[in-house]
């Protein structure tokens, strides 16, 4: 890859803060890197009022409509396009997306392919055209998915994918650690958990079909079909 800036996009519930160590590592290797917040996350996040109400009412928390219910895939992609344009000053950049950030990156690159030089999918969703991301956990390849088990309430009713990361229940906290942080040191995982957002918007609608000139790297284990993405971009899919 050439020396264009690297833009780092996190997955659901996280924020630009999740890339702190990666930015430091890239800086040590002489690469300029910027982490951005996805729509409805980080400094763009909004929580239901019931999340902070005391005493805590779990029923209210599971049923209150989400303040980010109006944020869809197009809005998330529009924000990322603005961020890419700002970082690259109109020139193409390398974008690394994690988890559901992959769906947002795909849509953003479809809209403005000239802003993306390389698309790196780090354990990220690369949905096949006309396939919603949330359909994948129901497939055999998604049998080990732990994310869906964390959901509170009915996503269709509240308009978001809600988790209760503030739960004092040790089993709930353990489930969050297993879903997001694996073997991360417990105190560091707890600090990260405290920074999570409550609601992730339903930015999981199918992508449009476009074209791709080449793929640089395939994962070791085959996954479901990769979306055909803009011809200007080179694609890397990485696994952890």
């Amino acid at each position: 890859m050439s020396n264009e800036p690297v833009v780092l996009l996190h997955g659901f519930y996280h924020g630009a803060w999740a890339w702190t160590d990666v930015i430091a590592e890239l800086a040590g290797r002489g690469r300029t890197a910027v982490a951005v917040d996805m729509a409805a996350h980080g400094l763009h996040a909004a929580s239901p009022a019931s999340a902070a109400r005391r005493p805590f009412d779990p029923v209210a928390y599971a049923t209150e409509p989400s303040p980010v219910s109006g944020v869809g895939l197009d809005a998330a992609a529009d924000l990322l396009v603005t961020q890419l344009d700002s970082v690259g000053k109109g020139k193409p950049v390398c974008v690394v997306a994690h988890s559901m950030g992959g769906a947002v990156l795909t849509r953003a690159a479809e809209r403005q392919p000239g802003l993306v030089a390389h698309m790196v999918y780090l354990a990220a969703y690369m949905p096949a055209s006309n396939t919603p991301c949330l359909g994948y956990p129901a497939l055999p390849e998604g049998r080990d998915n732990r994310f869906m088990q964390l959901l509170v309430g009915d996503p269709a009713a509240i308009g978001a994918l809600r988790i209760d990361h503030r739960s004092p229940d040790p089993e709930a906290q353990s489930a969050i650690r297993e879903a997001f942080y694996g073997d991360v040191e417990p105190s560091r995982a707890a600090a990260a958990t405290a920074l999570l957002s409550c609601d992730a918007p339903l930015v999981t609608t199918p992508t449009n079909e476009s074209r791709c000139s080449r793929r640089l790297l395939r994962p070791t284990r085959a996954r479901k079909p990769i979306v055909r993405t803009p011809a200007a971009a080179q694609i890397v899919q990485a696994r952890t």
Side-chain angles (χ1 to χ4, degrees), residues 79-233:
L79 175 60
L80 180 57
V81 165
T82 299
Q83 293 163 330
L84 299 182
D85 186 52
S86 177
V87 173
K89 303 300 182 185
K91 297 181 179 179
V93 300
C94 173
V95 189
V96 181
H98 174 62
S99 191
M100 200 61 74
V104 179
L105 169 57
T106 301
R107 179 56 65 88
E110 288 172 345
R111 292 188 163 208
Q112 293 293 337
L115 295 179
V116 183
H118 306 282
M119 303 163 68
V120 182
Y121 290 77
L122 179 63
Y125 282 89
M126 296 180 69
S129 297
N130 303 313
T131 302
C133 293
L134 291 184
Y136 286 102
L139 298 175
E141 292 86 347
R143 63 183 179 276
D144 296 328
N145 180 282
R146 293 186 173 95
F147 152 62
M148 298 296 287
Q149 301 172 22
L150 302 177
L151 298 184
V152 175
D154 179 1
I158 63 178
L161 301 168
R162 180 169 295 164
I163 62 172
D164 183 10
H165 65 285
R166 298 187 180 95
S167 172
D169 182 0
E171 290 188 6
Q173 289 298 313
S174 177
I176 290 173
R177 284 197 301 274
E178 290 184 13
F180 295 139
Y181 305 121
D183 59 357
V184 173
E185 195 273 323
S187 63
R188 192 171 178 83
T193 299
L195 296 174
L196 296 176
S197 303
C198 297
D199 288 359
L202 299 174
V203 295
T204 58
T205 52
T207 60
N208 294 325
E209 185 173 293
S210 50
R211 297 176 180 268
C212 174
S213 59
R214 52 183 163 171
R215 298 188 178 111
L216 301 182
L217 177 68
R218 288 182 179 273
T220 303
R221 183 179 65 187
R223 292 188 175 185
K224 283 293 176 179
I226 296 172
V227 68
R228 283 181 284 176
T229 46

